[in-house]
Amino acid sequence: MKILMFTWEFPPYKVGGIASHCYDLSKALVRMGHDVHILTYGDKEEEDYDAGITIHRVSSTQSAPDIVGWSMYLNQRFEKKAIELNKIERFDVIHIHDWMAVPAGAGLKKILKKPLVFTLHSTERGRAGINTPVSKMINDLEWYGTYEADQIITVGKDFCEEVKTIFSVPEEKIHYIPNGVDIKKFDNAKYTTRREWYAGDWEKMILFVGRLTYQKGVDYLLDAIPKVLNEYRDAKFVFVGDGGGLEHYRGKAWSLGLKEKTYFTGYVPDDVLISLYKVADLTIAPSIYEPFGIVALEAAAANKATVGSYTGGLKETIINEYTGLHTIPANSNSIADQLLRVLWDDNWCRWMGRNGRKMVEKNFKWDRIARWTTGVYGKAMGLWD
Amino acid sequence: MFSGKIIDGDFVGEYVKALLHSFSKSHLVNLVCYDDVEERLSINKNLNIFKTSCVIKGNNLFNWAMIMNTELGRAGREVYECYGFDIIHANDWLTIPVALSMARFAEKPLILSMHSTEKERGFGIDYSGLIHEIEGMGLHNASHILVDNEVTMRHVINDFNIEREKITLLTPFRDKWDERILELYKKLAKVGI
């Protein structure tokens, strides 16, 4: 199968999780014998090859007043490039990721008459709410993508229901296919950071990974930390990620008197992140809205348990009291209580970490996810119903 | 031919209508344009109009226009399949994206009528820079450019670095301008139309 995939971010350009998702999925599709072309953003127009994937980069504009205008212009470049590529490659299916690739995907579906598959990783409604003209436009583009796509993939089971409801998507054209984890990446990774740079030997290291935003529940976690420290003094909370909220949340932590008990790393490269998962004692995912919850799976791949909200994809990526513990979303008391249960029981914590690893090996390998994805491609191409 | 909404009395609307009237006397002409209501009209055996609506209102004119262009693409493909064409003619930045895509897809020459540029109009809105870049994309990739007056021609040459030979200055509605455009079509399409 010849697959053309549009994603605005692709390694080495990474902002959220879409870049890694597209990279790992493409590698698995190539392993299955498919020909995968990625059309993505770059500083300049260039072609690249990585792990059997052909990567075409096109630049965007400096003139856009907002993110939507920027992506609209990028999509024009995508569309023109894809038409040229199709003359040589004759793609079987176009696969787009999130709203930032919708205009080009919809345009090409109409001009080239190719089947269109649309993966939604999250919605604007869940990320930020629909409260500005820009967020309304993003929401409209998400709807437009679901309307134009022949088949839709969502990365979470609950999220699939959310998309069906808010965009009135017919049952027969929407599917739930989870994200996967590249286990080898975790097994083969070398330690590129040292535990003692982040926490003392005597401290339990609790890792938060994600954008520092309200949606990720950082406020509730910060409120929970003093309650945890009241009963368990030897704990250190390491926050990995940025998302524009780094200064704000570091300031908040310090104002709560948590300067010695928190560490904000900002953005870190993949090798450091994997090392941090490995040297941490457990992971915390206090999200309020989480379509999938990759953090719990990555932690599990590193044999670590996760304490995370009972919301969205985290309902599936954490098995309560088996691979981690669920908390009540947006509830700092619940976060504190569950953290304390794990902190007081080392053996249980390690046992849950090992169980998580088994779960990932069984259910969240990319090869399996790529096979499901090609099933959806086939449906979009009308190969089977 | 691609255009925005055809409005009676509006300069571009009258320009497009005059060309359709003139060309369809002897050639098959298909107009793909935006309108509030989706409609397919066969005016006579030589003239078809594909009115296309846009499902998204957009938070500004630029973003709306980009989605509108994807909708125009559907009609463009319909024309390609039902009638075929030898040349594509687009009007202003509003339809440059779809015209460029169709020209690349069908491998046909693109004529772009620049009735004015965003810089001429004063760069008055916060997405003017994007419109300017879309104009540049169209001007650089068009096979030939038509301008209505000296001022626009100067802007096209100076602001976008377009070579003079690629531009024809034709004052609309005067001196058999429509016949001269038809001659240009013939030259570019290299067919005996």
Side-chain angles (χ1 to χ4, degrees):
Chain A
M1 214 181 275
K2 284 217 174 210
I3 302 150
L4 176 62
M5 210 181 279
F6 290 168
T7 166
W8 82 276
E9 55 165 322
F10 194 80
Y13 299 95
K14 288 170 80 172
V15 177
I18 298 175
S20 298
H21 174 101
C22 291
Y23 185 55
D24 290 334
L25 175 62
S26 299
K27 279 195 295 183
L29 288 167
V30 166
R31 282 197 295 274
M32 287 174 72
H34 300 296
D35 187 3
V36 183
H37 290 249
I38 297 281
L39 194 42
T40 188
Y41 165 75
D43 290 335
K44 59 178 192 294
E45 187 150 348
E46 61 184 355
E47 197 169 300
D48 200 2
Y49 301 91
D50 186 356
I53 312 161
T54 312
I55 305 150
H56 310 269
R57 296 187 190 278
V58 294
S59 58
S60 188
T61 173
Q62 308 278 329
S63 310
D66 57 42
I67 186 73
V68 179
W70 184 86
S71 86
M72 286 288 185
Y73 187 85
L74 179 67
N75 273 261
Q76 285 308 321
R77 302 289 313 273
F78 278 174
E79 191 174 302
K80 310 301 174 269
K81 183 76 182 175
I83 290 170
E84 290 299 326
L85 290 173
N86 186 61
K87 284 178 190 162
I88 305 156
E89 303 295 342
R90 302 276 165 204
F91 298 110
D92 295 305
V93 65
I94 297 170
H95 187 173
I96 59 172
H97 292 266
D98 263 2
W99 69 270
M100 288 181 92
V102 164
L108 285 167
K109 185 198 169 186
K110 293 179 171 94
I111 291 174
L112 299 180
K113 287 210 162 172
K114 299 285 179 188
L116 180 66
V117 174
F118 178 30
T119 294
L120 267 159
H121 296 264
S122 61
T123 63
E124 184 67 3
R125 193 178 291 264
R127 282 189 301 267
I130 315 295
N131 37 36
T132 65
V134 169
S135 62
K136 166 81 171 60
M137 182 68 197
I138 293 171
N139 180 66
D140 286 353
L141 285 170
E142 288 168 348
W143 167 79
Y144 189 52
T146 62
Y147 177 73
E148 289 294 342
D150 296 289
Q151 294 294 318
I152 300 158
I153 296 169
T154 58
V155 295
K157 212 180 267 178
D158 269 22
F159 180 55
C160 186
E161 293 304 317
E162 178 193 331
V163 171
K164 258 191 245 177
T165 307
I166 63 176
F167 297 131
S168 305
V169 177
E171 184 79 35
E172 62 273 14
K173 75 176 224 183
I174 190 161
H175 310 267
Y176 154 58
I177 300 180
N179 271 310
V181 176
D182 184 352
I183 293 169
K184 280 186 194 151
K185 202 164 74 180
F186 281 80
D187 291 346
N188 300 337
K190 293 194 173 77
Y191 286 92
T192 52
T193 192
R194 296 162 72 112
R195 191 183 191 282
E196 58 263 36
W197 294 347
Y198 302 91
D201 288 347
W202 63 94
E203 288 174 318
K204 290 275 176 62
M205 181 172 154
I206 300 156
L207 189 70
F208 168 96
V209 179
R211 288 176 292 115
L212 296 173
T213 60
Y214 178 77
Q215 174 211 333
K216 294 288 180 187
V218 187
D219 297 84
Y220 295 97
L221 175 56
L222 286 175
D223 289 342
I225 293 173
K227 294 169 190 162
V228 173
L229 296 174
N230 262 344
E231 295 189 35
Y232 195 98
R233 187 67 204 157
D234 295 334
K236 183 75 176 270
F237 292 81
V238 178
F239 292 80
V240 179
D242 189 343
L246 180 61
E247 293 306 319
H248 168 76
Y249 284 111
R250 182 158 46 201
K252 184 171 176 180
W254 289 13
S255 70
L256 288 168
L258 301 172
K259 188 174 177 179
E260 301 298 321
K261 289 293 177 183
T262 54
Y263 187 107
F264 289 81
T265 66
Y267 170 82
V268 299
D270 266 3
D271 55 334
V272 175
L273 177 62
I274 291 174
S275 299
L276 285 168
Y277 274 123
K278 286 183 169 181
V279 299
D281 291 284
L282 73 144
T283 303
I284 175 84
S287 302
I288 296 164
Y289 173 79
E290 193 62 77
F292 182 64
I294 189 75
V295 169
L297 289 191
E298 290 181 339
N303 285 292
K304 296 294 147 61
T306 298
V307 172
S309 303
Y310 188 69
T311 186
L314 288 168
K315 288 181 187 173
E316 297 139 50
T317 55
I318 298 171
I319 302 172
N320 194 39
E321 299 192 339
Y322 184 73
T323 66
L325 290 179
H326 277 133
T327 65
I328 299 165
N331 185 320
S332 56
N333 285 332
S334 174
I335 295 169
D337 289 346
Q338 296 292 58
L339 277 174
L340 284 166
R341 284 180 71 197
V342 188
L343 288 170
W344 284 119
D345 196 335
D346 281 347
N347 287 335
W348 190 35
C349 183
R350 282 195 289 271
W351 178 78
M352 288 195 290
R354 288 194 298 274
N355 292 340
R357 169 74 188 208
K358 285 179 207 156
M359 174 188 74
V360 169
E361 286 175 0
K362 192 177 168 207
N363 299 327
F364 296 98
K365 273 190 168 171
W366 274 111
D367 287 344
R368 189 175 180 177
I369 285 149
R371 278 200 299 278
W372 287 338
T373 306
T374 52
V376 175
Y377 292 163
K379 207 167 178 199
M381 290 158 66
L383 296 180
W384 50 79
D385 292 321
Chain B
M1 190 175 296
F2 287 103
S3 103
K5 191 175 180 179
I6 302 294
I7 301 168
D8 292 338
D10 167 70
F11 176 78
V12 179
E14 293 300 329
Y15 180 98
V16 170
K17 274 165 40 185
L19 291 184
L20 295 181
H21 178 73
S22 169
F23 298 163
S24 64
K25 284 176 191 162
S26 52
H27 298 91
L28 175 60
V29 186
N30 295 290
L31 171 72
V32 174
C33 65
Y34 166 72
D35 212 313
D36 302 326
V37 181
E38 193 90 13
E39 212 172 3
R40 302 286 183 265
L41 301 169
S42 270
I43 306 297
N44 58 48
K45 70 178 176 56
N46 272 345
L47 179 58
N48 302 304
I49 298 177
F50 294 72
K51 291 185 180 178
T52 304
S53 60
C54 184
V55 288
I56 287 181
K57 268 175 85 176
N59 61 326
N60 61 45
L61 177 66
F62 180 81
N63 291 338
W64 170 82
M66 294 303 107
I67 297 302
M68 191 262 289
N69 271 264
T70 71
E71 295 292 326
L72 294 178
R74 180 161 39 88
R77 172 74 192 222
E78 215 176 314
V79 172
Y80 174 80
E81 282 179 3
C82 298
Y83 303 100
F85 46 78
D86 299 302
I87 202 143
I88 297 170
H89 190 157
N91 287 274
D92 275 347
W93 73 274
L94 208 57
T95 56
I96 282 175
V98 65
L100 262 182
S101 290
M102 283 309 296
R104 285 194 182 187
F105 166 70
E107 297 181 332
K108 298 293 180 190
L110 168 64
I111 289 190
L112 174 59
S113 282
M114 283 302 283
H115 301 291
S116 62
T117 67
E118 185 65 5
K119 204 166 178 187
E120 270 180 272
R121 293 188 291 269
F123 247 73
I125 39 186
D126 58 2
Y127 44 89
S128 287
L130 287 171
I131 294 174
H132 179 77
E133 291 204 31
I134 290 289
E135 287 174 342
M137 200 189 267
L139 290 166
H140 284 283
N141 290 289
S143 309
H144 203 82
I145 299 151
L146 294 172
V147 291
D148 304 336
N149 56 63
E150 281 280 353
V151 176
T152 304
M153 188 163 76
R154 276 204 305 276
H155 275 285
V156 168
I157 293 170
N158 298 331
D159 300 340
F160 297 97
N161 222 2
I162 302 292
E163 58 273 31
R164 175 66 184 85
E165 302 74 53
K166 199 174 154 180
I167 309 166
T168 300
L169 169 60
L170 282 175
T171 309
F173 314 108
R174 281 171 57 184
D175 303 329
K176 296 184 178 175
W177 65 294
D178 49 342
E179 288 176 22
R180 291 172 66 193
I181 293 175
L182 203 54
E183 283 306 311
L184 190 63
Y185 280 6
K186 286 180 190 175
K187 201 172 122 196
L188 286 168
K190 294 189 182 78
V191 291
I193 57 171

mmCIF file of all heavy atoms in Angstrom, chain A residues 293-324:
data_model
loop_
_atom_site.group_PDB
_atom_site.id
_atom_site.type_symbol
_atom_site.label_atom_id
_atom_site.label_comp_id
_atom_site.label_asym_id
_atom_site.label_seq_id
_atom_site.Cartn_x
_atom_site.Cartn_y
_atom_site.Cartn_z
ATOM 1 N N GLY A 293 -3.369 9.325 27.013
ATOM 2 C CA GLY A 293 -2.602 9.083 28.246
ATOM 3 C C GLY A 293 -1.370 8.247 28.005
ATOM 4 O O GLY A 293 -1.140 7.224 28.660
ATOM 5 N N ILE A 294 -0.555 8.678 27.063
ATOM 6 C CA ILE A 294 0.660 7.932 26.683
ATOM 7 C C ILE A 294 1.646 7.825 27.844
ATOM 8 O O ILE A 294 2.419 6.866 27.931
ATOM 9 C CB ILE A 294 1.327 8.591 25.436
ATOM 10 C CG1 ILE A 294 2.462 7.744 24.859
ATOM 11 C CG2 ILE A 294 1.843 9.991 25.749
ATOM 12 C CD1 ILE A 294 2.027 6.548 24.102
ATOM 13 N N VAL A 295 1.598 8.792 28.757
ATOM 14 C CA VAL A 295 2.559 8.821 29.869
ATOM 15 C C VAL A 295 2.510 7.517 30.672
ATOM 16 O O VAL A 295 3.548 6.947 31.021
ATOM 17 C CB VAL A 295 2.288 10.046 30.774
ATOM 18 C CG1 VAL A 295 3.085 9.944 32.070
ATOM 19 C CG2 VAL A 295 2.641 11.324 30.042
ATOM 20 N N ALA A 296 1.305 7.042 30.916
ATOM 21 C CA ALA A 296 1.172 5.812 31.715
ATOM 22 C C ALA A 296 1.805 4.625 30.980
ATOM 23 O O ALA A 296 2.385 3.732 31.612
ATOM 24 C CB ALA A 296 -0.297 5.531 32.006
ATOM 25 N N LEU A 297 1.705 4.603 29.665
ATOM 26 C CA LEU A 297 2.286 3.500 28.888
ATOM 27 C C LEU A 297 3.807 3.607 28.838
ATOM 28 O O LEU A 297 4.509 2.592 28.919
ATOM 29 C CB LEU A 297 1.747 3.496 27.455
ATOM 30 C CG LEU A 297 0.300 3.081 27.257
ATOM 31 C CD1 LEU A 297 0.021 2.874 25.786
ATOM 32 C CD2 LEU A 297 -0.025 1.813 28.035
ATOM 33 N N GLU A 298 4.293 4.823 28.668
ATOM 34 C CA GLU A 298 5.750 4.997 28.632
ATOM 35 C C GLU A 298 6.359 4.622 29.983
ATOM 36 O O GLU A 298 7.415 3.997 30.052
ATOM 37 C CB GLU A 298 6.100 6.432 28.236
ATOM 38 C CG GLU A 298 5.770 6.702 26.769
ATOM 39 C CD GLU A 298 6.121 8.105 26.298
ATOM 40 O OE1 GLU A 298 6.251 9.015 27.138
ATOM 41 O OE2 GLU A 298 6.226 8.282 25.074
ATOM 42 N N ALA A 299 5.674 5.038 31.046
ATOM 43 C CA ALA A 299 6.149 4.671 32.385
ATOM 44 C C ALA A 299 6.156 3.153 32.530
ATOM 45 O O ALA A 299 7.115 2.567 33.037
ATOM 46 C CB ALA A 299 5.251 5.311 33.443
ATOM 47 N N ALA A 300 5.079 2.520 32.035
ATOM 48 C CA ALA A 300 4.977 1.063 32.135
ATOM 49 C C ALA A 300 6.101 0.387 31.339
ATOM 50 O O ALA A 300 6.659 -0.616 31.786
ATOM 51 C CB ALA A 300 3.615 0.599 31.645
ATOM 52 N N ALA A 301 6.427 0.950 30.175
ATOM 53 C CA ALA A 301 7.515 0.390 29.365
ATOM 54 C C ALA A 301 8.835 0.431 30.135
ATOM 55 O O ALA A 301 9.728 -0.376 29.917
ATOM 56 C CB ALA A 301 7.646 1.154 28.049
ATOM 57 N N ALA A 302 8.941 1.400 31.055
ATOM 58 C CA ALA A 302 10.144 1.517 31.898
ATOM 59 C C ALA A 302 9.941 0.816 33.247
ATOM 60 O O ALA A 302 10.653 1.087 34.216
ATOM 61 C CB ALA A 302 10.479 2.991 32.108
ATOM 62 N N ASN A 303 8.938 -0.065 33.306
ATOM 63 C CA ASN A 303 8.641 -0.833 34.536
ATOM 64 C C ASN A 303 8.217 0.049 35.707
ATOM 65 O O ASN A 303 8.527 -0.260 36.856
ATOM 66 C CB ASN A 303 9.851 -1.677 34.953
ATOM 67 C CG ASN A 303 10.029 -2.896 34.082
ATOM 68 O OD1 ASN A 303 9.211 -3.814 34.121
ATOM 69 N ND2 ASN A 303 11.056 -2.871 33.251
ATOM 70 N N LYS A 304 7.499 1.125 35.423
ATOM 71 C CA LYS A 304 7.090 2.025 36.503
ATOM 72 C C LYS A 304 5.561 2.117 36.575
ATOM 73 O O LYS A 304 4.882 2.151 35.536
ATOM 74 C CB LYS A 304 7.673 3.431 36.288
ATOM 75 C CG LYS A 304 9.190 3.449 36.354
ATOM 76 C CD LYS A 304 9.716 3.115 37.746
ATOM 77 C CE LYS A 304 11.036 2.379 37.745
ATOM 78 N NZ LYS A 304 12.156 3.049 37.162
ATOM 79 N N ALA A 305 5.053 2.177 37.794
ATOM 80 C CA ALA A 305 3.617 2.341 38.010
ATOM 81 C C ALA A 305 3.233 3.812 37.825
ATOM 82 O O ALA A 305 4.079 4.697 37.961
ATOM 83 C CB ALA A 305 3.265 1.897 39.424
ATOM 84 N N THR A 306 1.964 4.041 37.523
ATOM 85 C CA THR A 306 1.473 5.430 37.379
ATOM 86 C C THR A 306 0.253 5.647 38.261
ATOM 87 O O THR A 306 -0.664 4.814 38.292
ATOM 88 C CB THR A 306 1.091 5.712 35.907
ATOM 89 O OG1 THR A 306 2.247 5.568 35.100
ATOM 90 C CG2 THR A 306 0.544 7.131 35.741
ATOM 91 N N VAL A 307 0.266 6.759 38.954
ATOM 92 C CA VAL A 307 -0.936 7.217 39.649
ATOM 93 C C VAL A 307 -1.552 8.263 38.734
ATOM 94 O O VAL A 307 -0.916 9.285 38.429
ATOM 95 C CB VAL A 307 -0.580 7.830 41.025
ATOM 96 C CG1 VAL A 307 -1.804 8.481 41.659
ATOM 97 C CG2 VAL A 307 0.008 6.765 41.939
ATOM 98 N N GLY A 308 -2.776 7.990 38.232
ATOM 99 C CA GLY A 308 -3.345 8.906 37.235
ATOM 100 C C GLY A 308 -4.848 9.024 37.336
ATOM 101 O O GLY A 308 -5.527 8.151 37.892
ATOM 102 N N SER A 309 -5.371 10.091 36.791
ATOM 103 C CA SER A 309 -6.806 10.392 36.875
ATOM 104 C C SER A 309 -7.647 9.330 36.178
ATOM 105 O O SER A 309 -7.254 8.808 35.124
ATOM 106 C CB SER A 309 -7.097 11.727 36.196
ATOM 107 O OG SER A 309 -6.343 12.743 36.773
ATOM 108 N N TYR A 310 -8.801 9.085 36.724
ATOM 109 C CA TYR A 310 -9.758 8.197 36.068
ATOM 110 C C TYR A 310 -10.518 9.029 35.036
ATOM 111 O O TYR A 310 -11.641 9.474 35.251
ATOM 112 C CB TYR A 310 -10.710 7.587 37.108
ATOM 113 C CG TYR A 310 -11.606 6.517 36.519
ATOM 114 C CD1 TYR A 310 -11.081 5.304 36.099
ATOM 115 C CD2 TYR A 310 -12.982 6.730 36.371
ATOM 116 C CE1 TYR A 310 -11.884 4.335 35.538
ATOM 117 C CE2 TYR A 310 -13.798 5.761 35.811
ATOM 118 C CZ TYR A 310 -13.235 4.566 35.392
ATOM 119 O OH TYR A 310 -14.043 3.602 34.823
ATOM 120 N N THR A 311 -9.830 9.277 33.909
ATOM 121 C CA THR A 311 -10.449 10.090 32.855
ATOM 122 C C THR A 311 -9.888 9.671 31.500
ATOM 123 O O THR A 311 -8.716 9.263 31.406
ATOM 124 C CB THR A 311 -10.193 11.604 33.089
ATOM 125 O OG1 THR A 311 -10.919 12.351 32.124
ATOM 126 C CG2 THR A 311 -8.727 11.979 32.960
ATOM 127 N N GLY A 312 -10.725 9.762 30.469
ATOM 128 C CA GLY A 312 -10.301 9.521 29.091
ATOM 129 C C GLY A 312 -9.488 8.251 28.932
ATOM 130 O O GLY A 312 -9.838 7.183 29.451
ATOM 131 N N GLY A 313 -8.373 8.387 28.220
ATOM 132 C CA GLY A 313 -7.546 7.224 27.907
ATOM 133 C C GLY A 313 -6.846 6.625 29.112
ATOM 134 O O GLY A 313 -6.455 5.450 29.083
ATOM 135 N N LEU A 314 -6.672 7.414 30.166
ATOM 136 C CA LEU A 314 -6.004 6.881 31.365
ATOM 137 C C LEU A 314 -6.833 5.773 32.017
ATOM 138 O O LEU A 314 -6.298 4.957 32.774
ATOM 139 C CB LEU A 314 -5.733 8.006 32.371
ATOM 140 C CG LEU A 314 -4.618 8.991 31.980
ATOM 141 C CD1 LEU A 314 -4.640 10.220 32.889
ATOM 142 C CD2 LEU A 314 -3.245 8.316 32.032
ATOM 143 N N LYS A 315 -8.125 5.738 31.712
ATOM 144 C CA LYS A 315 -8.956 4.643 32.219
ATOM 145 C C LYS A 315 -8.469 3.310 31.667
ATOM 146 O O LYS A 315 -8.628 2.267 32.293
ATOM 147 C CB LYS A 315 -10.418 4.851 31.778
ATOM 148 C CG LYS A 315 -11.154 5.966 32.486
ATOM 149 C CD LYS A 315 -12.577 6.008 31.944
ATOM 150 C CE LYS A 315 -13.345 7.198 32.460
ATOM 151 N NZ LYS A 315 -14.647 7.319 31.802
ATOM 152 N N GLU A 316 -7.904 3.362 30.438
ATOM 153 C CA GLU A 316 -7.442 2.121 29.793
ATOM 154 C C GLU A 316 -5.951 1.882 29.981
ATOM 155 O O GLU A 316 -5.516 0.734 30.016
ATOM 156 C CB GLU A 316 -7.725 2.187 28.288
ATOM 157 C CG GLU A 316 -9.194 2.269 27.946
ATOM 158 C CD GLU A 316 -9.449 3.235 26.813
ATOM 159 O OE1 GLU A 316 -8.778 3.131 25.784
ATOM 160 O OE2 GLU A 316 -10.307 4.123 26.967
ATOM 161 N N THR A 317 -5.179 2.961 30.061
ATOM 162 C CA THR A 317 -3.725 2.759 30.130
ATOM 163 C C THR A 317 -3.241 2.504 31.563
ATOM 164 O O THR A 317 -2.091 2.151 31.777
ATOM 165 C CB THR A 317 -2.961 3.954 29.515
ATOM 166 O OG1 THR A 317 -3.375 5.166 30.159
ATOM 167 C CG2 THR A 317 -3.221 4.076 28.027
ATOM 168 N N ILE A 318 -4.138 2.687 32.540
ATOM 169 C CA ILE A 318 -3.821 2.276 33.925
ATOM 170 C C ILE A 318 -4.872 1.245 34.352
ATOM 171 O O ILE A 318 -6.075 1.508 34.233
ATOM 172 C CB ILE A 318 -3.881 3.480 34.899
ATOM 173 C CG1 ILE A 318 -2.848 4.545 34.521
ATOM 174 C CG2 ILE A 318 -3.680 3.011 36.342
ATOM 175 C CD1 ILE A 318 -3.003 5.844 35.290
ATOM 176 N N ILE A 319 -4.424 0.087 34.802
ATOM 177 C CA ILE A 319 -5.366 -0.880 35.401
ATOM 178 C C ILE A 319 -5.247 -0.697 36.913
ATOM 179 O O ILE A 319 -4.180 -0.941 37.496
ATOM 180 C CB ILE A 319 -5.029 -2.328 34.985
ATOM 181 C CG1 ILE A 319 -5.055 -2.456 33.451
ATOM 182 C CG2 ILE A 319 -6.025 -3.301 35.617
ATOM 183 C CD1 ILE A 319 -4.537 -3.799 32.944
ATOM 184 N N ASN A 320 -6.341 -0.239 37.512
ATOM 185 C CA ASN A 320 -6.296 0.179 38.909
ATOM 186 C C ASN A 320 -5.838 -0.953 39.837
ATOM 187 O O ASN A 320 -6.335 -2.067 39.776
ATOM 188 C CB ASN A 320 -7.683 0.674 39.338
ATOM 189 C CG ASN A 320 -7.627 1.437 40.651
ATOM 190 O OD1 ASN A 320 -6.680 2.200 40.895
ATOM 191 N ND2 ASN A 320 -8.620 1.236 41.501
ATOM 192 N N GLU A 321 -4.868 -0.620 40.670
ATOM 193 C CA GLU A 321 -4.278 -1.520 41.665
ATOM 194 C C GLU A 321 -3.542 -2.700 41.026
ATOM 195 O O GLU A 321 -3.200 -3.667 41.701
ATOM 196 C CB GLU A 321 -5.327 -2.015 42.677
ATOM 197 C CG GLU A 321 -5.936 -0.857 43.457
ATOM 198 C CD GLU A 321 -6.751 -1.281 44.654
ATOM 199 O OE1 GLU A 321 -7.181 -2.446 44.682
ATOM 200 O OE2 GLU A 321 -6.943 -0.452 45.559
ATOM 201 N N TYR A 322 -3.305 -2.618 39.705
ATOM 202 C CA TYR A 322 -2.559 -3.691 39.020
ATOM 203 C C TYR A 322 -1.353 -3.113 38.265
ATOM 204 O O TYR A 322 -0.247 -3.634 38.342
ATOM 205 C CB TYR A 322 -3.490 -4.438 38.058
ATOM 206 C CG TYR A 322 -2.823 -5.621 37.397
ATOM 207 C CD1 TYR A 322 -2.564 -6.792 38.115
ATOM 208 C CD2 TYR A 322 -2.452 -5.580 36.057
ATOM 209 C CE1 TYR A 322 -1.933 -7.885 37.513
ATOM 210 C CE2 TYR A 322 -1.821 -6.665 35.444
ATOM 211 C CZ TYR A 322 -1.570 -7.817 36.170
ATOM 212 O OH TYR A 322 -0.943 -8.887 35.582
ATOM 213 N N THR A 323 -1.593 -1.981 37.561
ATOM 214 C CA THR A 323 -0.442 -1.315 36.907
ATOM 215 C C THR A 323 -0.250 0.104 37.467
ATOM 216 O O THR A 323 0.665 0.805 37.065
ATOM 217 C CB THR A 323 -0.631 -1.209 35.379
ATOM 218 O OG1 THR A 323 -1.736 -0.319 35.122
ATOM 219 C CG2 THR A 323 -0.910 -2.555 34.751
ATOM 220 N N GLY A 324 -1.154 0.509 38.324
ATOM 221 C CA GLY A 324 -1.076 1.846 38.925
ATOM 222 C C GLY A 324 -2.339 2.102 39.714
ATOM 223 O O GLY A 324 -3.107 1.174 39.987
#
